[in-house]
Structures are given as C-alpha cells and as structure tokens.
C-alpha cells in the first residue's frame, strides 16, 4: 500500500498549465493572476476586496496593523490554534489574551471571551479550527457591545459555511492560508478579505513599502512592510480556486469516510457538522472520550508503532515555551482547552487519501482502543 500522508495538495494538469501560462505571459501580464485571484476569491466570499499576501501570518499582521493595534492593547484569541493566529499580536507589541474553547466546536467560547474583556481589549480573533466554526453571532454581538473588532481567521476553513454564510465573511476582515498543507495550496500564500474601502486602501499601502497603489513612482509615504504576492504563486492559487468544489468535496468525503468506518467506536468525537452548515474539514480531528483513558501522545505513539501517521491536536498556546509563565495563569481559566487538547489527535487528511487508506487508519484506531 502507498504511503499515507497527513496533508498534501491535489494538483492536476489544470494547475500545471495555468502556471505555464503565467510564466509565458510574464512580460505582458505580470500581476494578472494576483489580481484575478484576489478579486474572484473576494467575490466568492461576498467580500468587496481581496489582497493576496506571501502567507496568512502576514495577512493577519497587515490587518491588525491597519486596525491600529499596538503596545498596551489586548487581543483575544482562542487557546487552541496554530501560533500564527496570535504571533502578529506580539509583533505589534500588544498582548494576546487566551480564551477557552467550546467543547463541541473546539473554537473560541463566547462566554470565555466575554470574561476576558478589559478596557484594553481592541480585537477578538475568531479561528475556524480545522474547518469548524464558532458561534459567530454571539461573538459579533459581544464585539459590538464592547466596541472591539472581530477578525476571522479562516486559514483552515475554505469551504465551510455557517447558516448559509461562507467562512471568511465574518468580522471586519478575514484571512486564509494557502500553505502547502491546506485545501487550496500555493506552497506559501495567504489572502486578506475586507469590505471597508478605507481599510482596504490602508492595507494596500502597508503591503507594499508604504506605496499608494497608482501613486507617483518611488514616492513612499511611510516605512511599512513588503508583503506582496507574486504571479506564479497566484496562478497556482487561482487554478486551485477554480476547482474549489472538488477540493472541498474531497475533504468532506474524507470526514464522511472516517465517520462511516469509525461508527461502531464508542465515546469519540470528530469534527461537528452543525445543522445548516458545511464543515470544509481541512483536517479531521478525533477527540478520545475520557472513558478511553488515553492521552494524545499515547494514542499517537501506538498509531505510529502500527505505521500510521497522526499529529497532536493543537496545544493550548499558553502551555507553549513561546509564552513563558502563561500556563500558571491560563490553565485554571481555560480548562476545556487543556482537557480537549490532551485527548485529541489529527488524522491523515492529504487530498490523495484513498478509502483503503482511511480503512487502515480506522482499523489502527480500533486496534489501539481494544
Ligand atoms: C489557524 C491558522 N491561522 C493562521 C495560519 C497561518 O498561515 P500561514 O502558514 O499561511 O502563514 C495557519 C496556518 O497554518 C492556521 O492554521
């Protein structure tokens, strides 16, 4: 049987031909795919503006900068996410405040966020973890009540919807990742989506060394970042985006197959699929119920001994060495994050996964629980 991969893209002749075209048209259309991808990706998500970036981390950094986040400010983030959701807060000299997650969606819990708000809170970053969606209505209401910005980190949520609204349409701005492990892949790449024209203009200047698009040549207005995309990268992304239904469909198929082949296993949780919503399922995660008495590290160790790959559920950010001294403060405040994370693993989710391989993983899970 061929290798089982945790993550990886689905590249076809369409992507290869599109990249070839971008290279052949280099002189005539140096930014064609950047512009087309940005515009069509924004429109697909019901947003007015899109800005492609070198990766999603830079998209978050751009947006938080444009929102005026700086030293002394606090920004709420969920405990369980990739560090990229929070790192740009620190880049700007502001403080990340870690909030607990919901036990079912594994996304930021609105009540925990409410308890974390202080007079310094400027923004809340809601993360659509593994394609799951938080209670956006509650989060938006909370942000409105306290006059703080809602930012949606939809890095993992291409294809997800909540009550008919696509992930990426929530808050003042949203971000996506096209990292080589994601559903739409450009190797490295990201996108910032916005509705507000002034914010879009500000982010455009911040993205290109303080140059105003269309402004006089070499007249930089201020010292900012260089977070421009390039056309070859955008060509891959655009070609993948044209196949979005196929790519997301395969991710959903993977979740459905895991559900089918694990259906007899008691006391486990997989990504939820809320009524009226679609879970784009970047990754299928499995949380072992307490009755199994199994930690994620023990589970992964046993699976790896069977030759099966698995990865840990994200650790609570406050438990990482990157945030020294934070565990003591946050572990008692965020018990769900520490509990769920300790019992969760990610299952293989590469876009070349076959049903035979999924059955093999499920048989492995049944074997380690026997
Ligand atoms: C939730 C989340 N936010 C942000 C990022 C950052 O994306 P990138 O690697 O494109 O910078 C990732 C990527 O892994 C992510 O999973």
């Amino acid at each position: 049987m061929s290798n089982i991969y945790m993550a990886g893209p689905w590249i076809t002749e369409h992507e290869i031909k599109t990249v070839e075209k971008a290279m052949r048209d280099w002189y005539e259309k140096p930014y064609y795919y950047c512009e087309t991808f940005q515009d069509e990706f924004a429109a697909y998500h019901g947003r007015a503006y899109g800005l492609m970036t070198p990766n999603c981390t830079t998209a978050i950094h751009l947006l938080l900068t444009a929102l005026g986040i700086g030293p002394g400010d606090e920004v709420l983030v969920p405990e369980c996410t990739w560090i990229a959701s929070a790192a740009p807060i620190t880049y700007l000299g502001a403080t990340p405040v870690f909030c607990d997650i919901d036990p079912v969606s594994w996304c930021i819990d609105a009540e925990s966020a409410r308890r974390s708000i202080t007079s310094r809170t400027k923004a809340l970053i809601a993360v659509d973890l593994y394609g799951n969606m938080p209670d956006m209505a509650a989060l938006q209401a909370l942000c409105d009540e306290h006059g703080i910005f809602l930012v949606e980190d939809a890095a993992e949520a291409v294809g997800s919807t909540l009550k008919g609204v696509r992930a990426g349409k929530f808050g003042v701005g949203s971000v996506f990742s096209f990292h080589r492990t994601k559903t739409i892949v450009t190797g490295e790449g990201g996108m910032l989506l916005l509705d507000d024209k002034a914010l879009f203009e500000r982010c455009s200047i911040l993205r290109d060394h303080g140059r105003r698009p269309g402004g006089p040549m070499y007249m930089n207005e201020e010292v900012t970042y260089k977070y421009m995309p390039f056309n070859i990268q955008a060509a891959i992304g655009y070609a993948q985006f044209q196949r979005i239904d196929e790519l997301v469909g395969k991710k959903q198929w993977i979740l459905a197959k895991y559900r089918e082949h694990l259906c007899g296993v008691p006391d486990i949780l997989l990504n939820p699929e809320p009524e009226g919503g679609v879970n784009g399922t970047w990754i299928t995660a499995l949380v072992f119920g307490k009755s199994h008495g199994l930690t994620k590290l023990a589970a992964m160790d046993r699976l790896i001994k069977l030759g099966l790959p698995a990865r840990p559920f994200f650790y609570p950010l406050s438990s990482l060495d990157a945030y020294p001294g934070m565990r003591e403060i946050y572990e008692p405040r965020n018990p769900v994050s520490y509990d769920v994370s300790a019992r969760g693993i990610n299952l293989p989710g590469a876009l070349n996964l076959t049903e035979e391989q999924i059955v093999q993983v499920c048989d492995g899970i049944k074997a380690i629980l026997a």
Side-chain angles (χ1 to χ4, degrees):
M1 185 173 295
S2 52
N3 285 344
I4 299 177
Y5 294 100
M6 284 304 300
W10 181 359
I11 301 291
T12 64
E13 278 303 306
H14 178 57
E15 284 81 350
I16 293 166
K17 288 207 173 84
T18 309
V19 169
E20 187 184 336
K21 184 155 174 45
M23 296 189 83
R24 292 192 191 284
D25 292 349
W26 196 294
Y27 274 94
E28 288 76 25
K29 298 176 171 178
Y31 277 112
Y32 173 80
Y33 286 106
C34 295
E35 282 157 13
T36 309
F37 185 27
Q38 289 173 171
D39 292 352
E40 292 192 19
F41 195 79
Y44 177 85
H45 290 91
R47 291 279 198 184
Y49 306 103
L51 285 171
M52 194 181 178
T53 51
N55 53 55
C56 174
T57 310
T58 49
I60 301 172
H61 192 196
L62 269 187
L63 179 56
L64 295 187
T65 309
L67 293 174
I69 307 295
D73 294 338
E74 292 175 353
V75 178
L76 310 183
V77 274
E79 281 273 16
C80 294
T81 179
W82 176 233
I83 194 169
S85 306
I89 303 167
T90 306
Y91 302 165
L92 291 166
T95 305
V97 174
F98 306 118
C99 302
D100 211 358
I101 60 166
D102 176 87
V104 177
S105 74
W106 312 325
C107 296
I108 192 166
D109 174 67
E111 280 315 304
S112 173
R114 177 182 292 282
R115 288 194 296 275
S116 306
I117 289 176
T118 71
S119 58
R120 293 163 173 245
T121 310
K122 289 285 169 3
L124 184 160
I125 301 178
V127 181
D128 304 327
L129 197 80
Y130 304 137
N132 304 354
M133 304 275 299
D135 183 346
M136 287 293 188
L139 294 174
Q140 187 64 69
L142 182 66
C143 289
D144 291 346
E145 188 185 328
H146 292 271
I148 61 183
F149 297 113
L150 177 65
V151 169
E152 184 186 7
D153 180 346
E156 303 178 1
V158 162
S160 293
T161 67
L162 187 66
K163 298 188 177 128
V165 180
R166 287 194 202 287
K169 180 56 187 163
F170 296 91
V172 66
S174 59
V175 293
F176 287 87
S177 171
F178 309 125
H179 183 252
R180 64 174 180 80
T181 55
K182 293 293 193 288
T183 305
I184 288 180
V185 163
T186 59
E188 288 282 351
M191 188 77 82
L192 170 60
L193 300 185
L194 301 160
D195 285 323
D196 182 79
K197 189 162 186 251
L199 199 54
F200 164 68
E201 285 173 356
R202 180 76 192 123
C203 289
S204 304
I205 293 170
L206 287 170
R207 190 177 65 153
D208 190 17
H209 276 317
R211 289 203 288 185
R212 186 173 292 277
M217 183 68 77
Y218 296 147
M219 292 300 287
N220 309 71
E221 295 179 8
E222 57 188 297
V223 178
T224 68
Y225 317 122
K226 173 70 187 300
Y227 286 167
M228 293 297 282
F230 78 108
N231 208 40
I232 306 296
Q233 176 194 36
I236 309 171
Y238 183 60
Q240 289 255 283
F241 172 57
Q242 290 179 308
R243 296 178 49 234
I244 188 166
D245 290 342
E246 203 177 4
L247 299 178
V248 174
K250 177 79 192 253
K251 289 287 190 180
Q252 289 180 279
W253 177 86
I254 292 172
L255 173 63
K257 285 294 164 190
Y258 277 125
R259 222 184 271 298
E260 181 187 327
H261 292 293
L262 290 171
C263 75
V265 180
D267 200 20
I268 56 167
L269 271 185
L270 301 177
N271 306 42
E273 290 164 286
E275 224 173 285
V278 172
N279 193 322
T281 323
W282 166 55
I283 282 275
T284 299
L286 187 163
V287 176
F288 295 101
K290 287 188 180 146
S291 65
H292 295 294
L294 195 61
T295 65
K296 65 179 166 194
L297 293 180
M300 283 166 49
D301 196 46
R302 290 188 209 172
L303 286 171
I304 287 161
K305 283 198 178 107
L306 296 175
L308 298 167
R311 283 189 188 165
F313 198 99
F314 286 124
Y315 290 92
L317 291 175
S318 64
S319 72
L320 300 177
D321 288 347
Y323 298 103
M326 291 297 115
R327 182 177 192 134
E328 292 68 24
I329 297 168
Y330 282 103
E331 189 170 4
R333 267 169 67 165
N334 298 331
V336 180
S337 305
Y338 276 80
D339 175 42
V340 169
S341 165
R343 295 184 281 114
I345 60 171
N346 295 163
L347 302 180
L351 282 160
N352 67 357
L353 215 56
T354 64
E355 181 155 6
E356 199 187 358
Q357 290 175 323
I358 292 175
V359 169
Q360 208 189 336
V361 174
C362 294
D363 286 347
I365 289 163
K366 289 174 196 162
I368 69 167
L369 293 178

